[in-house]
Amino acid sequence: MFQFDFGIEEDVEPSTQTVVAVPEVVQLEPFAELSVSRLLDALPPLISYSPLSIPLPSDRKNVTLARRDLFDARFQLISEGRDDDPSSETTAPTSALEFLDAPSDLVPGVYEGGLKTWECSLDLVGYLDGLKDSTNLSFSNKRILEVGCGTAIPSVYLLYSLFCAESKANTNLHFQDYNVSVLELITFPNIILAWYMSPASAEYRAAASDDPAEHPPADPILAGELPIIPSLKSAFTASLAKLAITLVFSSGSWESLTTHLDVKYDIVLTSETIYRTQALPALIHLLRQACADSNPLCLVAAKVLYFGVGGGVSEFIEALKSKIMVDKGCSGRVEPVWERKVGVGRKIMRIEWE
Ligand SMILES: C[S@@+](CC[C@H](N)C(=O)[O-])C[C@H]1O[C@@H](n2cnc3c(N)ncnc32)[C@H](O)[C@@H]1O
């Protein structure tokens, strides 16, 4: 068994992360697109959440997002009785329960760690927030892709900003994760919470009954439970339409998404996805294919080194310049735009395609 031995902060992560031995032949998950209505149907009747406070470099000091509790996702799986039923159409939830309980954080080709928030995703929020202030970066009128989103904290932050702005955004946000269960159990509930905590849900909350159990305060600083009722689902989809926000969700391997990509993105984000060197060519190919031809913002947030699995920033930079990538027209240069040197180093790199 390999073992990561870097510490992860607060309840973002367990203190030690493990990756189980790589099977000889890994059959990678195929591409699948999940509609918003399917994800709404997969929501449980109640979501419990806690605040996730993200430090910002600006005067604002921090931003707080509501994030679904992991124990609540576990409870959903158990209460829906989605366990080892081989005839079940989705096999992912079975795995999800195992991975929620298991000590391993990554099982290559099976579960890639998306149920938990990894710390570089918080760095990405801080950096994007700074860019918004320093360069007037806008998330409106953009196509945005988060590769390997997991709990999707960077994209949820972008979405929360759009919900707070309350004006027509004309934004398309694509969330990619390896596992269907991650999108159903964590990514999508976090999106619902971002909407509920924002002014975009004000009309829904105002029309609601006075029962505080049905409508908890729209304050992400407070932990709580949000009932998922039909009127909430329709108010959410109505908000998306009103603000011209399109949400796209896809699961499966990076290879499979690359072959299905038919649009280019202005902003492409990824956090903590460069840990395994064997997967770097597929990741780089996807990032290249996904980026718009003109001035895309492509950001990769990562630890400098992933002990025990061999990946890290140097390996990523090397892969970007390798002959394989040059031959595929996917070579690029890295501009480090943010760095933390204390403890296990972390970086945010902007990729300039050649
Ligand atoms: C360690 S998690 C990081 C999750 C999230 N970005 C964060 O920072 O909290 C790695 C993510 O990359 C994705 N991933 C890893 N390898 C993949 C592969 N070969 N194909 C598709 N997705 C993959 C998984 O979906 C997983 O969510």
Side-chain angles (χ1 to χ4, degrees):
M1 181 182 282
F2 298 110
Q3 187 156 34
F4 285 144
D5 63 355
F6 45 81
I8 301 274
E9 289 159 3
E10 54 131 342
D11 66 339
V12 166
E13 286 302 308
S15 58
T16 309
Q17 295 182 315
T18 56
V19 79
V20 301
V22 187
E24 286 290 305
V25 180
V26 176
Q27 179 77 41
L28 294 175
E29 287 291 323
F31 170 86
E33 190 165 339
L34 285 76
S35 66
V36 170
S37 63
R38 170 183 166 166
L39 289 164
L40 282 169
D41 287 346
L43 289 172
L46 194 69
I47 293 175
S48 101
Y49 55 86
S50 300
L52 174 67
S53 175
I54 305 168
L56 299 178
S58 68
D59 294 345
R60 283 196 300 286
K61 291 199 175 58
N62 65 36
V63 61
T64 303
L65 299 174
R67 182 182 52 168
R68 187 179 193 191
D69 295 316
L70 256 189
F71 69 77
D72 189 49
R74 185 179 188 284
F75 177 72
Q76 179 184 348
L77 290 174
I78 292 169
S79 61
E80 289 175 358
R82 295 204 257 164
D83 50 15
D84 294 279
D85 173 6
S87 63
S88 159
E89 258 184 38
T90 48
T91 53
T94 306
S95 317
L97 187 52
E98 282 163 19
F99 298 129
L100 280 167
D101 289 340
S104 62
D105 288 291
L106 298 165
V107 182
V110 182
Y111 165 64
E112 293 286 349
L115 289 167
K116 296 163 190 165
T117 301
W118 293 56
E119 58 192 343
C120 294
S121 64
L122 311 189
D123 300 337
L124 213 39
V125 172
Y127 181 69
L128 288 166
D129 193 78
L131 270 191
K132 210 170 62 160
D133 282 354
S134 60
T135 66
N136 281 331
L137 172 70
S138 160
F139 308 129
S140 300
N141 300 303
K142 294 281 187 320
R143 286 185 172 276
I144 302 169
L145 168 67
E146 183 169 354
V147 173
C149 64
T151 58
I153 299 304
S155 298
V156 168
Y157 155 79
L158 301 188
L159 202 46
Y160 182 62
S161 312
L162 295 172
F163 285 141
C164 289
E166 283 191 283
S167 49
K168 226 176 180 138
N170 291 314
T171 294
N172 179 310
L173 254 155
H174 180 161
F175 298 79
Q176 179 274 334
D177 196 89
Y178 189 72
N179 300 98
V180 173
S181 50
V182 169
L183 294 168
E184 284 181 351
L185 291 167
I186 301 286
T187 317
F188 193 66
N190 285 347
I191 289 169
I192 292 286
L193 289 167
W195 168 78
Y196 184 81
M197 298 298 163
S198 78
S201 71
E203 219 172 287
Y204 165 73
R205 286 180 277 115
S209 78
D210 292 335
D211 181 357
E214 204 164 286
H215 299 95
D219 184 350
I221 288 173
L222 304 172
E225 292 184 331
L226 178 65
I228 305 296
I229 53 179
S231 55
L232 178 140
K233 295 182 185 182
S234 16
F236 171 73
T237 44
S239 264
L240 291 181
K242 185 175 160 199
L243 300 175
I245 296 174
T246 306
L247 302 181
V248 176
F249 299 86
S250 66
S251 63
S253 70
W254 291 323
E255 287 88 341
S256 69
L257 175 57
T258 305
T259 58
H260 283 84
L261 266 191
D262 50 10
V263 290
K264 300 272 187 188
Y265 297 85
D266 308 294
I267 300 179
V268 177
L269 306 171
T270 194
S271 151
E272 307 247 19
T273 47
I274 65 168
Y275 47 85
R276 196 174 308 111
T277 45
Q278 303 93 300
L280 291 177
L283 175 65
I284 293 170
H285 193 197
L286 170 59
L287 297 177
R288 177 68 193 103
Q289 293 301 312
C291 280
D293 296 331
S294 162
N295 201 27
L297 176 65
C298 180
L299 297 174
V300 176
K303 297 198 172 68
V304 170
L305 189 61
Y306 290 89
F307 295 104
V309 270
V313 165
S314 312
E315 290 71 17
F316 177 71
I317 296 173
E318 231 170 77
L320 258 183
K321 293 182 176 150
S322 67
K323 184 164 178 330
I324 298 186
M325 290 296 114
V326 173
D327 290 350
K328 280 191 168 169
C330 300
S331 67
R333 278 182 299 107
V334 158
E335 185 198 344
V337 291
W338 180 90
E339 186 167 9
R340 177 187 183 268
K341 289 186 174 157
V342 186
V344 179
R346 309 200 299 262
K347 281 193 180 183
I348 299 178
M349 301 171 274
R350 180 171 182 165
I351 314 301
E352 305 283 354
W353 301 105
E354 287 168 345

PDB file of all heavy atoms in Angstrom, residues 325-342:
ATOM      1  N   MET A 325       3.566  15.161 -25.714  1.00  0.00           N
ATOM      2  CA  MET A 325       2.664  16.311 -25.697  1.00  0.00           C
ATOM      3  C   MET A 325       2.950  17.246 -26.869  1.00  0.00           C
ATOM      4  O   MET A 325       2.032  17.784 -27.487  1.00  0.00           O
ATOM      5  CB  MET A 325       2.790  17.063 -24.356  1.00  0.00           C
ATOM      6  CG  MET A 325       2.228  16.300 -23.188  1.00  0.00           C
ATOM      7  SD  MET A 325       0.441  16.057 -23.342  1.00  0.00           S
ATOM      8  CE  MET A 325       0.269  14.334 -23.540  1.00  0.00           C
ATOM      9  N   VAL A 326       4.249  17.419 -27.199  1.00  0.00           N
ATOM     10  CA  VAL A 326       4.605  18.263 -28.348  1.00  0.00           C
ATOM     11  C   VAL A 326       3.980  17.668 -29.610  1.00  0.00           C
ATOM     12  O   VAL A 326       3.342  18.370 -30.399  1.00  0.00           O
ATOM     13  CB  VAL A 326       6.148  18.369 -28.488  1.00  0.00           C
ATOM     14  CG1 VAL A 326       6.530  19.093 -29.777  1.00  0.00           C
ATOM     15  CG2 VAL A 326       6.742  19.077 -27.274  1.00  0.00           C
ATOM     16  N   ASP A 327       4.111  16.328 -29.774  1.00  0.00           N
ATOM     17  CA  ASP A 327       3.570  15.666 -30.971  1.00  0.00           C
ATOM     18  C   ASP A 327       2.054  15.809 -31.055  1.00  0.00           C
ATOM     19  O   ASP A 327       1.473  15.844 -32.137  1.00  0.00           O
ATOM     20  CB  ASP A 327       3.943  14.174 -30.978  1.00  0.00           C
ATOM     21  CG  ASP A 327       5.437  13.984 -31.216  1.00  0.00           C
ATOM     22  OD1 ASP A 327       6.101  14.983 -31.563  1.00  0.00           O
ATOM     23  OD2 ASP A 327       5.935  12.856 -31.022  1.00  0.00           O
ATOM     24  N   LYS A 328       1.401  15.873 -29.888  1.00  0.00           N
ATOM     25  CA  LYS A 328      -0.072  16.000 -29.888  1.00  0.00           C
ATOM     26  C   LYS A 328      -0.503  17.459 -30.000  1.00  0.00           C
ATOM     27  O   LYS A 328      -1.700  17.770 -29.935  1.00  0.00           O
ATOM     28  CB  LYS A 328      -0.637  15.450 -28.574  1.00  0.00           C
ATOM     29  CG  LYS A 328      -0.753  13.944 -28.551  1.00  0.00           C
ATOM     30  CD  LYS A 328      -1.551  13.524 -27.338  1.00  0.00           C
ATOM     31  CE  LYS A 328      -1.953  12.067 -27.426  1.00  0.00           C
ATOM     32  NZ  LYS A 328      -2.502  11.548 -26.199  1.00  0.00           N
ATOM     33  N   GLY A 329       0.459  18.375 -30.054  1.00  0.00           N
ATOM     34  CA  GLY A 329       0.129  19.804 -30.098  1.00  0.00           C
ATOM     35  C   GLY A 329      -0.380  20.305 -28.757  1.00  0.00           C
ATOM     36  O   GLY A 329      -1.187  21.236 -28.681  1.00  0.00           O
ATOM     37  N   CYS A 330       0.073  19.659 -27.681  1.00  0.00           N
ATOM     38  CA  CYS A 330      -0.439  20.008 -26.346  1.00  0.00           C
ATOM     39  C   CYS A 330       0.665  20.506 -25.427  1.00  0.00           C
ATOM     40  O   CYS A 330       0.543  20.399 -24.211  1.00  0.00           O
ATOM     41  CB  CYS A 330      -1.059  18.790 -25.687  1.00  0.00           C
ATOM     42  SG  CYS A 330      -2.412  18.066 -26.570  1.00  0.00           S
ATOM     43  N   SER A 331       1.752  21.012 -25.966  1.00  0.00           N
ATOM     44  CA  SER A 331       2.817  21.431 -25.046  1.00  0.00           C
ATOM     45  C   SER A 331       2.520  22.843 -24.553  1.00  0.00           C
ATOM     46  O   SER A 331       1.823  23.623 -25.215  1.00  0.00           O
ATOM     47  CB  SER A 331       4.174  21.360 -25.728  1.00  0.00           C
ATOM     48  OG  SER A 331       4.236  22.311 -26.735  1.00  0.00           O
ATOM     49  N   GLY A 332       3.056  23.115 -23.388  1.00  0.00           N
ATOM     50  CA  GLY A 332       2.777  24.426 -22.817  1.00  0.00           C
ATOM     51  C   GLY A 332       3.844  24.855 -21.837  1.00  0.00           C
ATOM     52  O   GLY A 332       4.733  24.079 -21.465  1.00  0.00           O
ATOM     53  N   ARG A 333       3.756  26.117 -21.450  1.00  0.00           N
ATOM     54  CA  ARG A 333       4.665  26.681 -20.447  1.00  0.00           C
ATOM     55  C   ARG A 333       3.870  26.950 -19.189  1.00  0.00           C
ATOM     56  O   ARG A 333       2.668  27.233 -19.253  1.00  0.00           O
ATOM     57  CB  ARG A 333       5.214  28.025 -20.934  1.00  0.00           C
ATOM     58  CG  ARG A 333       6.384  27.926 -21.877  1.00  0.00           C
ATOM     59  CD  ARG A 333       6.894  29.302 -22.262  1.00  0.00           C
ATOM     60  NE  ARG A 333       5.882  30.109 -22.949  1.00  0.00           N
ATOM     61  CZ  ARG A 333       5.247  31.136 -22.407  1.00  0.00           C
ATOM     62  NH1 ARG A 333       5.484  31.513 -21.171  1.00  0.00           N
ATOM     63  NH2 ARG A 333       4.349  31.809 -23.096  1.00  0.00           N
ATOM     64  N   VAL A 334       4.584  26.902 -18.079  1.00  0.00           N
ATOM     65  CA  VAL A 334       3.916  27.138 -16.804  1.00  0.00           C
ATOM     66  C   VAL A 334       4.369  28.461 -16.224  1.00  0.00           C
ATOM     67  O   VAL A 334       5.562  28.739 -16.157  1.00  0.00           O
ATOM     68  CB  VAL A 334       4.295  25.984 -15.831  1.00  0.00           C
ATOM     69  CG1 VAL A 334       4.116  26.404 -14.393  1.00  0.00           C
ATOM     70  CG2 VAL A 334       3.462  24.755 -16.121  1.00  0.00           C
ATOM     71  N   GLU A 335       3.403  29.260 -15.834  1.00  0.00           N
ATOM     72  CA  GLU A 335       3.753  30.477 -15.101  1.00  0.00           C
ATOM     73  C   GLU A 335       3.227  30.297 -13.672  1.00  0.00           C
ATOM     74  O   GLU A 335       2.013  30.221 -13.458  1.00  0.00           O
ATOM     75  CB  GLU A 335       3.061  31.681 -15.761  1.00  0.00           C
ATOM     76  CG  GLU A 335       3.461  32.989 -15.130  1.00  0.00           C
ATOM     77  CD  GLU A 335       2.482  34.109 -15.465  1.00  0.00           C
ATOM     78  OE1 GLU A 335       1.676  33.958 -16.410  1.00  0.00           O
ATOM     79  OE2 GLU A 335       2.497  35.120 -14.751  1.00  0.00           O
ATOM     80  N   PRO A 336       4.142  30.191 -12.692  1.00  0.00           N
ATOM     81  CA  PRO A 336       3.642  30.060 -11.319  1.00  0.00           C
ATOM     82  C   PRO A 336       3.014  31.386 -10.900  1.00  0.00           C
ATOM     83  O   PRO A 336       3.637  32.429 -11.026  1.00  0.00           O
ATOM     84  CB  PRO A 336       4.907  29.774 -10.491  1.00  0.00           C
ATOM     85  CG  PRO A 336       6.035  29.675 -11.469  1.00  0.00           C
ATOM     86  CD  PRO A 336       5.600  30.252 -12.760  1.00  0.00           C
ATOM     87  N   VAL A 337       1.777  31.355 -10.456  1.00  0.00           N
ATOM     88  CA  VAL A 337       1.103  32.621 -10.119  1.00  0.00           C
ATOM     89  C   VAL A 337       0.848  32.762  -8.615  1.00  0.00           C
ATOM     90  O   VAL A 337       0.461  33.819  -8.139  1.00  0.00           O
ATOM     91  CB  VAL A 337      -0.232  32.773 -10.891  1.00  0.00           C
ATOM     92  CG1 VAL A 337       0.028  32.987 -12.371  1.00  0.00           C
ATOM     93  CG2 VAL A 337      -1.148  31.577 -10.671  1.00  0.00           C
ATOM     94  N   TRP A 338       1.030  31.667  -7.893  1.00  0.00           N
ATOM     95  CA  TRP A 338       0.835  31.715  -6.435  1.00  0.00           C
ATOM     96  C   TRP A 338       1.620  30.566  -5.823  1.00  0.00           C
ATOM     97  O   TRP A 338       1.727  29.494  -6.417  1.00  0.00           O
ATOM     98  CB  TRP A 338      -0.644  31.553  -6.111  1.00  0.00           C
ATOM     99  CG  TRP A 338      -0.951  31.591  -4.642  1.00  0.00           C
ATOM    100  CD1 TRP A 338      -1.247  32.696  -3.897  1.00  0.00           C
ATOM    101  CD2 TRP A 338      -0.982  30.470  -3.735  1.00  0.00           C
ATOM    102  NE1 TRP A 338      -1.457  32.335  -2.580  1.00  0.00           N
ATOM    103  CE2 TRP A 338      -1.292  30.979  -2.457  1.00  0.00           C
ATOM    104  CE3 TRP A 338      -0.761  29.104  -3.875  1.00  0.00           C
ATOM    105  CZ2 TRP A 338      -1.405  30.163  -1.327  1.00  0.00           C
ATOM    106  CZ3 TRP A 338      -0.859  28.284  -2.760  1.00  0.00           C
ATOM    107  CH2 TRP A 338      -1.190  28.808  -1.501  1.00  0.00           C
ATOM    108  N   GLU A 339       2.157  30.803  -4.650  1.00  0.00           N
ATOM    109  CA  GLU A 339       2.951  29.741  -4.027  1.00  0.00           C
ATOM    110  C   GLU A 339       2.875  29.838  -2.515  1.00  0.00           C
ATOM    111  O   GLU A 339       2.817  30.921  -1.947  1.00  0.00           O
ATOM    112  CB  GLU A 339       4.406  29.902  -4.467  1.00  0.00           C
ATOM    113  CG  GLU A 339       5.274  28.783  -3.995  1.00  0.00           C
ATOM    114  CD  GLU A 339       6.641  28.769  -4.695  1.00  0.00           C
ATOM    115  OE1 GLU A 339       6.956  29.726  -5.424  1.00  0.00           O
ATOM    116  OE2 GLU A 339       7.364  27.796  -4.494  1.00  0.00           O
ATOM    117  N   ARG A 340       2.897  28.665  -1.883  1.00  0.00           N
ATOM    118  CA  ARG A 340       2.993  28.607  -0.420  1.00  0.00           C
ATOM    119  C   ARG A 340       4.142  27.662  -0.112  1.00  0.00           C
ATOM    120  O   ARG A 340       4.142  26.511  -0.547  1.00  0.00           O
ATOM    121  CB  ARG A 340       1.697  28.059   0.170  1.00  0.00           C
ATOM    122  CG  ARG A 340       1.703  27.884   1.678  1.00  0.00           C
ATOM    123  CD  ARG A 340       0.416  27.179   2.064  1.00  0.00           C
ATOM    124  NE  ARG A 340       0.259  27.004   3.492  1.00  0.00           N
ATOM    125  CZ  ARG A 340       0.667  25.928   4.159  1.00  0.00           C
ATOM    126  NH1 ARG A 340       1.276  24.944   3.528  1.00  0.00           N
ATOM    127  NH2 ARG A 340       0.449  25.849   5.456  1.00  0.00           N
ATOM    128  N   LYS A 341       5.117  28.195   0.623  1.00  0.00           N
ATOM    129  CA  LYS A 341       6.332  27.396   0.830  1.00  0.00           C
ATOM    130  C   LYS A 341       6.366  26.687   2.168  1.00  0.00           C
ATOM    131  O   LYS A 341       7.160  25.782   2.368  1.00  0.00           O
ATOM    132  CB  LYS A 341       7.563  28.298   0.694  1.00  0.00           C
ATOM    133  CG  LYS A 341       7.801  28.724  -0.749  1.00  0.00           C
ATOM    134  CD  LYS A 341       9.088  29.485  -0.897  1.00  0.00           C
ATOM    135  CE  LYS A 341       9.363  29.758  -2.368  1.00  0.00           C
ATOM    136  NZ  LYS A 341      10.239  30.894  -2.568  1.00  0.00           N
ATOM    137  N   VAL A 342       5.512  27.085   3.087  1.00  0.00           N
ATOM    138  CA  VAL A 342       5.534  26.490   4.425  1.00  0.00           C
ATOM    139  C   VAL A 342       4.955  25.079   4.373  1.00  0.00           C
ATOM    140  O   VAL A 342       3.959  24.840   3.701  1.00  0.00           O
ATOM    141  CB  VAL A 342       4.676  27.354   5.393  1.00  0.00           C
ATOM    142  CG1 VAL A 342       4.807  26.850   6.826  1.00  0.00           C
ATOM    143  CG2 VAL A 342       5.074  28.814   5.289  1.00  0.00           C
TER     144      VAL A 342
END
